[in-house]
Amino acid sequence: MNYNIALLRGDGIGPEIVDSACEVLKKTGDIYGHTFNFTPYLIGGAAIDACGEGLPKETVEGCVNSDSVLLGAVGGPKWDTLPGNKRPEKALLGIRSALGLYTNIRPAKLFPAMADACLLRKDVAEKGVDIVMIRELTGGIYFGERGRRDGKYGPEAYDTEAYSVMEIERIAHVAFKTAMIRRKKVVSIDKANVLESSRLWRETVHRIAEQYPEVECTDMLVDNAAMQLIKNPAQFDVIVTTNMFGDILSDECSQITGSIGLLPSASLGDTTCGMYEPIHGSAPDIAGMNKANPLATILSAAMMLRYSFGLETEAVAIEKAVEDVLDAGFRTGDILGASDATPLSCTEMTAKVLEYLK
Ligand code: NAD
């Protein structure tokens, strides 16, 4: 089969890690008889530099007309002083919205070989970490009304958290369906003791839960959830939460599973065209140094094969290659743990995955 993939390399380490994932996809195609055609488009700071806007029309059209999208990351200090609506990160929200990608699936699994890089106490880590976070992606405070105004104490700024019943219902269905093929547990995370939008979130999730009687559904306040993820991550199976809470808690998950350089994500809507990206940012501190861990992006490519193309065997082959590379002891700098071994570069780690891919 032939698959057309739009490549959004973006900024910072984005180009390095996207190129790594493309090599792995190419080899997977060679082994299993598929052709992956890659078309690059500009996004973020790179697009601002080239044509004055973070999300050019050609990029949106190219993504809409492709079978799937692979994204690196956007942003960096060079563009940090731009006004909010001109920043590279705005392009990210724009492309998610343009493609209708309301679901963000973020699996967080502790590979046994990563126990050393995991910051949890040994007895806590040994109970295992295998969580799928379902983050709502096109609503909430990131998309609500915002601005500046004169307030009671002088100039002030505001952002608005708003959720409709429809937005909560559709993400809740994704969470319960995900739980049905896993350990049948959903924890819905909100701040219903304070926020009205969270109270609507909670009552809507409960109503949808009635359609999935086999799934155990509980609520947790976000502050408690931040603590429970460290204290006892084994209690979680599927988490469903809002755009902002999911953004923050999934970075926390990265530290209990080893490194932010290991966690992939899939952003999906109602069609098979999804967008796949690591959960981390553009890591300007290591950009251009060939130090980035490419595994999160490689694992994101595996999610693309699974969710957009239905290529489960091929997805598992990539995930197995990554696990085998880690089991064999190969490490980039971010996952060295206490070891004083020489870390592999981004290109060396990519070569290892290619070597182990069968
Ligand atoms: P970051 O995730 O880019 O980096 C945080 C830390 O993790 C840094 O020390 C970095 O070196 C390290 N890190 C991240 N990815 C790594 C990898 N693959 N291998 C090894 N180390 C890695 O977060 P930040 O520094 O807060 O943000 C930098 C820029 O990225 C900002 O402009 C921010 O807005 C943007 N950002 C973009 C996205 C996205 O495009 N999806 C997401 C988050 C942040």
Side-chain angles (χ1 to χ4, degrees):
M1 281 283 285
N2 254 300
Y3 300 96
N4 296 319
I5 301 172
L7 292 185
L8 307 181
R9 289 193 175 87
D11 309 315
I13 60 171
E16 305 165 44
I17 53 177
V18 167
D19 289 352
S20 294
C22 287
E23 284 190 53
V24 174
L25 282 173
K26 269 186 217 144
K27 176 148 186 209
T28 309
D30 292 345
I31 297 172
Y32 290 92
H34 308 295
T35 305
F36 299 110
N37 305 309
F38 302 110
T39 311
Y41 296 96
L42 290 169
I43 191 166
I48 292 170
D49 288 353
C51 50
E53 52 176 329
L55 185 59
K57 205 165 121 253
E58 304 79 65
T59 299
V60 177
E61 281 171 7
C63 291
V64 167
N65 293 320
S66 68
D67 296 320
S68 197
V69 182
L70 184 64
L71 171 81
V74 300
K78 183 174 177 193
W79 306 281
D80 275 354
T81 50
L82 291 174
N85 62 350
K86 302 255 185 262
R87 284 182 59 133
E89 292 81 357
K90 179 84 178 152
L92 200 55
L93 301 186
I95 192 70
R96 288 170 181 166
S97 185
L99 295 173
L101 306 174
Y102 59 85
T103 298
N104 189 218
I105 302 179
R106 299 187 156 194
K109 197 170 171 178
L110 177 61
F111 292 103
M114 283 289 87
D116 271 1
C118 164
L119 296 178
L120 294 177
R121 217 174 53 205
K122 199 161 171 274
D123 59 308
V124 178
E126 270 169 5
K127 290 191 205 153
V129 181
D130 183 4
I131 302 168
V132 173
M133 184 169 299
I134 308 287
R135 168 189 170 198
E136 200 291 326
L137 203 61
T138 50
I141 199 163
Y142 292 1
F143 286 87
E145 194 189 325
R146 61 173 57 93
R148 304 267 176 130
R149 62 190 170 199
D150 283 330
K152 193 172 165 195
Y153 304 106
E156 66 177 24
Y158 64 96
D159 298 273
T160 318
E161 170 90 352
Y163 268 113
S164 65
V165 170
M166 183 278 287
E167 289 172 305
I168 305 166
E169 281 178 349
R170 66 184 180 183
I171 198 74
H173 278 296
V174 175
F176 287 111
K177 284 182 181 146
T178 307
M180 283 297 286
I181 52 169
R182 287 175 49 91
R183 302 195 300 280
K184 297 193 172 61
K185 281 172 70 175
V186 169
V187 176
S188 172
I189 295 175
D190 59 39
K191 189 68 183 165
N193 55 342
V194 179
L195 303 177
E196 195 54 35
S197 56
S198 277
R199 285 191 272 273
L200 180 67
W201 179 278
R202 191 174 278 210
E203 67 190 49
T204 307
V205 169
H206 282 202
R207 189 163 38 73
I208 299 302
E210 289 169 12
Q211 298 175 35
Y212 302 87
E214 285 174 59
V215 179
E216 177 195 318
C217 175
T218 48
D219 306 301
M220 199 176 275
L221 295 173
V222 64
D223 35 356
N224 183 29
M227 180 178 78
Q228 294 295 336
L229 275 168
I230 303 286
K231 196 176 169 203
N232 180 16
Q235 71 184 287
F236 295 102
D237 174 21
V238 174
I239 288 174
V240 61
T241 192
T242 61
N243 204 340
M244 182 163 71
F245 294 159
D247 193 6
I248 297 167
L249 293 176
S250 52
D251 268 35
E252 187 179 343
C253 285
S254 76
Q255 289 312 294
I256 59 180
T257 51
S259 166
I260 200 160
L262 285 175
L263 294 195
S265 84
S267 302
L268 304 168
D270 290 326
T271 71
T272 53
C273 177
M275 188 162 83
Y276 299 84
E277 55 178 307
I279 76 152
H280 57 72
S282 60
D285 51 336
I286 54 167
M289 295 180 188
N290 198 16
K291 282 185 179 173
N293 185 344
L295 296 181
T297 317
I298 290 171
L299 291 169
S300 302
M303 291 185 85
M304 174 190 290
L305 299 187
R306 173 173 296 123
Y307 289 107
S308 281
F309 305 154
L311 301 175
E312 179 66 21
T313 308
E314 293 81 341
V316 170
I318 294 177
E319 287 162 353
K320 170 99 175 51
V322 168
E323 198 160 350
D324 288 349
V325 163
L326 294 173
D327 282 346
F330 298 107
R331 301 281 185 271
T332 43
D334 57 311
I335 49 174
L336 266 186
S339 154
D340 57 1
T342 310
L344 296 190
S345 66
C346 180
T347 44
E348 286 166 340
M349 183 53 114
T350 307
K352 283 293 164 203
V353 176
L354 292 172
E355 187 186 321
Y356 279 71
L357 183 63
K358 299 286 179 300

